[in-house]
Amino acid sequence: MEEKKLDLNSIIGFILIFGILIWIMYQNKPSEEQIAAEKAKKELVAKKEALAKAAVVNPSAAPIAAVAGDSAQLAQAQKTLGGFAYSATLPSAKDGFTTIENEKVILKISNKGGFIVEATLKNLEKFQKGSGKLVELIKDNNANLNIQLQMADNRTLNTKDLYFEPSLTKIGSDQILSMKLKAAANEFLEYKYILKPNDFMIGFDLRSQGLNKVLNTAKPLDLEWSMKTYRNEKSISYENRYTEIYFEYEEGKIDYVGLGNDKEENPIQTSYVAFKQHFFSTVLLTDKPFATAKLHSNDLVNDETIDTVYTKQFKADLPLAFSNGEIDYKMNWYFGPSDYKTLKGYDKNLEKIIPLGWGIFGWINMFIFIPLFGFLSTTVGLSLGIAIIIFTILIKVAMSPITFKSFLSQAKMKVLRPEIMELGEKFKKDPMKKQQETMKLYNKAGVNPMAGCIPALIQIPFMYASFQFFPSAYELRQKSFLWADDLSSFDAVVQLPFHIPLYGDHISLFPVLASIAIFFYMKMTSGDQQMAAPQQEGMPDMAKMMKIMIYVSPIMMLFFFNSYGAGLSLYNFISNLITIGIMIVIKRYFIDSDKIHAQIQENKLKEPKKQGKFQRKLQEVMEQAEAEKAKKAKK
């Protein structure tokens, strides 16, 4: 086959064709303006795709930077935010903050969510005096306030993801911060914060306007409030013991959720919820009670050597009821100390969150301990350590007549002991008869075996009340006395290089002194108690038990109080010292065993005293038992 060759005409033809193509391409080249327009178009498309992608991940949080009134961009926002698309087109739709403060608190409120993201208490330091670190109840996202918005178009939005528009004004000396989540210029959900001078209480109005067609008003909105409480004191285990949720319900009733993990309560008609820490509280109050509430508490301190930042995780779910298609609640926030006097000053039952004890224990604290201690520390102006000492002396002196009655009863029982032992030997084969004769002896001698127990029982409520009063006394916080730099916390004098279970990694001195004092007190009284109370047949040997308790009680106190506040240990130390002193004085100057013996013998010659109802009833029961026994013996 003949091979084809490229001739000159073909080459010229290719060159001409190539030149024509180059000329066409040059003539169709876009201008610089056209290139810029095309580039802008591509960027706009890319931006829209990015926004759409973000909306899929978090549809309610997608901000749209646009000018209000731009219909195209408003339509884009409506795809993700529905009725609240307008809020995303405002200049405030960005991560901004507004700070308001007075002499007591500093509050920082975020545009996003409209909630307080920082709450700092002025002039109050955490951990210890001089730490330079102010108490911060809210910071670094440890707290959150959110309302689930059920929309008329069946979508659900969360206020924590939406942007509020701030507006700060001043009326007189009050600062008023309005945070509005807008659906239109005059349609919004508003959080209004009202901060008065020199106050821990903040007004908080929550209302809606013109949202009856935007929101689904068929059921209440869900208000969700949560907080991880920060540690503020030296001992996290001691602080955690007094950190829990309190609430008021059904017009004045106060209760608490409880300590531990996964504790929950569901009160009705709840008028306030308090996330109470040991010495500080965050409280949400409402004039219109929440119909129901779901309160949850979880302990975050599993190991106090590791878990050192937070104490509890609190959560409250509260329904916001619609009225005529709108939300309208007058509420308050309290960010401040858990101080009885401060809380009582608001006249809102808030002082009930201070655990003073139930029944008679609470009454002793409210009507005796708090007024008396307040008089000594505030009116008289004594230092807190001296006030505790004088307070203890006054309480023990007031109780001295009761102490005297107890010791006198023991002395009488001691004098009667030989005769009681004789009756025991005489009727050892007949316990019922022995008991009857013993009761007759008591009646003839004019001795009441219960007289020594009753005074001791009267003193128990005062002792228990002190266990509630001193750990709750806010005024003791960061007040020093002798070697203790904080009477509300432990007074460590030795730091151990290891941790002892149930004891700690330090040695507190006041508990050591209190344990020594109670050891000598029990040592001095145990002999009289053993002599006063002869062993009854079938009953435990009290003498042996008392010998054991002499050593067990001080050791228990040593372990129990080592991480407790120094104020309580100081009170117990002084209390035991004074009791020992009163006991020595009574024994030496007021109780004469010979005179008591002579008086008892004289009483025996007199007509027996009329038996009390209890003694008479006991005597009748014994006689009936004796008669039944005799009847059975005849059979």
Side-chain angles (χ1 to χ4, degrees):
M1 182 179 291
E2 182 180 359
E3 186 179 350
K4 290 185 178 180
K5 293 182 180 181
L6 193 62
D7 58 4
L8 181 60
N9 292 332
S10 298
I11 294 172
I12 293 171
F14 280 121
I15 292 173
L16 289 173
I17 292 171
F18 181 76
I20 291 169
L21 290 174
I22 294 295
W23 182 81
I24 292 171
M25 290 175 63
Y26 179 81
Q27 290 296 319
N28 288 281
K29 178 182 178 181
S31 65
E32 291 183 1
E33 291 79 9
Q34 289 175 318
I35 292 172
E38 184 66 21
K39 182 178 180 182
K41 185 178 179 181
K42 289 181 179 179
E43 288 178 351
L44 182 60
V45 172
K47 187 176 181 180
K48 288 181 177 180
E49 289 176 352
L51 285 173
K53 187 176 181 181
V56 172
V57 176
N58 191 2
S60 60
I64 300 178
V67 179
D70 189 314
S71 58
Q73 292 172 352
L74 185 61
Q76 178 64 32
Q78 286 174 340
K79 292 180 180 179
T80 55
L81 303 181
F84 285 104
Y86 181 85
S87 65
T89 68
L90 300 173
S92 57
K94 57 184 178 181
D95 292 334
F97 303 93
T98 305
T99 300
I100 55 176
E101 62 179 291
N102 61 13
E103 296 81 358
K104 300 289 188 183
V105 298
I106 305 172
L107 304 176
K108 185 177 179 181
I109 298 93
S110 172
N111 288 2
K112 189 174 184 180
F115 179 57
I116 298 169
V117 292
E118 289 185 14
T120 305
L121 303 185
K122 288 184 173 181
N123 306 316
L124 294 172
E125 295 177 294
K126 59 183 176 182
F127 304 138
Q128 59 189 16
K129 193 173 183 179
S131 69
K133 300 176 180 178
L134 294 178
V135 172
E136 297 170 297
L137 298 180
I138 300 178
K139 69 168 185 175
D140 297 337
N141 300 314
N142 74 309
N144 191 34
L145 184 76
N146 177 58
I147 298 177
Q148 279 196 351
L149 302 173
Q150 302 299 327
M151 307 295 287
D153 59 5
N154 293 324
R155 77 179 73 208
T156 300
L157 300 179
N158 292 292
T159 58
K160 66 180 180 179
D161 299 323
L162 304 175
Y163 288 91
F164 287 64
E165 182 181 54
S167 175
L168 181 60
T169 57
K170 202 168 185 181
I171 299 179
S173 55
D174 296 350
Q175 301 173 63
I176 300 175
L177 175 62
S178 171
M179 304 292 293
K180 292 181 179 178
L181 174 61
K182 292 189 171 182
N186 294 311
E187 299 175 3
F188 51 81
L189 175 70
E190 181 185 34
Y191 297 167
K192 184 186 288 184
Y193 299 93
I194 305 164
L195 182 62
K196 297 181 178 180
N198 202 36
D199 201 349
F200 292 110
M201 188 74 75
I202 296 95
F204 180 60
D205 295 349
L206 197 163
R207 72 185 187 97
S208 66
Q209 178 176 302
L211 298 183
N212 54 336
K213 293 182 180 179
V214 177
L215 298 174
N216 178 3
T217 61
K219 61 179 182 178
L221 298 180
D222 292 327
L223 174 67
E224 302 168 346
W225 175 37
S226 63
M227 174 182 284
K228 289 170 69 176
T229 54
Y230 276 110
R231 168 196 178 185
N232 289 304
E233 309 305 322
K234 187 161 62 173
S235 172
I236 191 168
S237 59
Y238 190 47
E239 180 179 7
N240 198 36
R241 190 178 298 132
Y242 296 96
T243 299
E244 54 189 323
I245 301 178
Y246 279 80
F247 55 91
E248 182 184 52
Y249 67 108
E250 293 183 356
E251 298 184 358
K253 296 180 181 179
I254 309 296
D255 206 346
Y256 53 91
V257 173
L259 302 174
N261 289 314
D262 294 324
K263 298 295 181 180
E264 189 172 297
E265 289 289 337
N266 297 278
I268 59 174
Q269 297 300 313
T270 307
S271 49
Y272 73 67
V273 176
F275 290 172
K276 180 193 172 294
Q277 297 169 249
H278 189 183
F279 287 126
F280 300 98
S281 293
T282 303
V283 189
L284 177 61
L285 307 94
T286 176
D287 289 349
K288 182 168 63 177
F290 302 114
T292 60
K294 182 179 179 182
L295 309 177
H296 185 268
S297 174
N298 199 41
D299 196 344
L300 300 180
V301 182
N302 297 313
D303 185 342
E304 64 183 86
T305 61
I306 299 173
D307 305 319
T308 59
V309 179
Y310 301 103
T311 53
K312 294 283 197 313
Q313 171 70 66
F314 293 147
K315 186 178 180 183
D317 292 321
L318 310 164
L320 299 174
F322 284 94
S323 177
N324 298 321
E326 301 290 355
I327 295 291
D328 190 7
Y329 280 80
K330 300 289 184 183
M331 298 194 282
N332 291 92
W333 287 108
Y334 175 83
F335 299 99
S338 303
D339 175 41
Y340 183 86
K341 293 178 183 176
T342 301
L343 295 171
K344 188 174 178 61
Y346 290 107
D347 195 27
K348 293 180 179 290
N349 246 10
L350 286 175
E351 72 277 6
K352 298 292 183 66
I353 71 173
I354 307 299
L356 297 177
W358 54 272
I360 189 172
F361 312 118
W363 300 338
I364 290 171
N365 277 322
M366 285 187 286
F367 302 117
I368 299 177
F369 282 11
I370 290 176
L372 178 58
F373 193 75
F375 173 77
L376 294 172
S377 60
T378 304
T379 307
V380 178
L382 298 175
S383 71
L384 272 297
I386 298 298
I388 291 175
I389 293 173
I390 301 300
F391 171 84
T392 311
I393 292 172
L394 292 175
I395 294 294
K396 296 306 292 185
V397 169
M399 301 285 289
S400 58
I402 297 173
T403 306
F404 175 77
K405 286 277 188 183
S406 179
F407 287 151
L408 180 61
S409 177
Q410 288 180 16
K412 289 179 178 180
M413 293 291 290
K414 183 178 178 181
V415 169
L416 281 178
R417 183 181 173 88
E419 295 182 53
I420 295 172
M421 296 293 286
E422 287 179 12
L423 290 174
E425 188 64 28
K426 183 177 179 180
F427 299 105
K428 62 181 179 180
K429 293 185 179 180
D430 192 345
M432 186 64 71
K433 186 67 174 175
K434 183 184 77 170
Q435 193 67 28
Q436 287 179 324
E437 293 300 318
T438 301
M439 293 297 292
K440 287 179 182 178
L441 176 63
Y442 287 149
N443 192 39
K444 283 182 181 179
V447 175
N448 183 355
M450 298 296 293
C453 300
I454 294 173
L457 290 174
I458 292 173
Q459 295 183 67
I460 288 175
F462 285 84
M463 180 185 70
Y464 182 80
S466 71
F467 278 77
Q468 297 293 110
F469 171 72
F470 284 101
S472 300
Y474 173 81
E475 52 265 57
L476 296 181
R477 186 177 186 268
Q478 296 182 357
K479 298 298 189 298
S480 62
F481 180 66
L482 298 178
W483 57 84
D485 58 4
D486 185 349
L487 286 169
S488 72
S489 189
F490 56 82
D491 57 312
V493 292
V494 176
Q495 196 68 35
L496 302 174
F498 48 84
H499 186 274
I500 301 174
L502 304 178
Y503 185 73
D505 58 0
H506 62 273
I507 298 175
S508 297
L509 186 52
F510 276 130
V512 173
L513 296 175
S515 298
I516 293 172
I518 197 172
F519 171 78
F520 282 106
Y521 165 72
M522 295 187 71
K523 192 80 172 172
M524 293 172 69
T525 58
S526 61
D528 289 344
Q529 290 172 349
Q530 291 168 26
M531 290 292 290
Q535 183 181 0
Q536 301 293 321
E537 188 171 333
M539 298 295 290
D541 190 339
M542 295 303 296
K544 290 182 179 178
M545 290 183 66
M546 285 303 301
K547 285 180 181 178
I548 295 172
M549 290 304 296
I550 288 171
Y551 299 97
V552 171
S553 293
I555 293 173
M556 288 176 63
M557 174 170 278
L558 195 64
F559 273 76
F560 185 73
F561 284 101
N562 191 59
S563 292
Y564 260 66
L568 180 59
S569 299
L570 172 61
Y571 171 81
N572 280 282
F573 171 54
I574 300 299
S575 178
N576 286 321
L577 281 183
I578 294 171
T579 304
I580 290 172
I582 290 174
M583 183 182 67
I584 292 172
V585 170
I586 290 174
K587 281 188 172 183
R588 183 169 294 181
Y589 298 105
F590 294 93
I591 294 180
D592 187 326
S593 296
D594 294 334
K595 286 184 179 181
I596 291 173
H597 184 268
Q599 183 64 51
I600 288 175
Q601 298 308 316
E602 186 179 331
N603 289 343
K604 288 181 181 179
L605 301 175
K606 295 179 182 179
E607 188 71 24
K609 289 179 66 177
K610 187 178 179 180
Q611 290 181 324
K613 289 183 179 180
F614 176 76
Q615 288 179 309
R616 188 166 61 251
K617 188 67 177 176
L618 186 62
Q619 184 74 21
E620 289 173 1
V621 170
M622 289 182 179
E623 288 174 356
Q624 289 175 4
E626 189 69 23
E628 287 292 328
K629 184 179 178 181
K631 190 184 293 184
K632 288 180 180 179
K634 287 180 181 179
K635 292 179 182 180

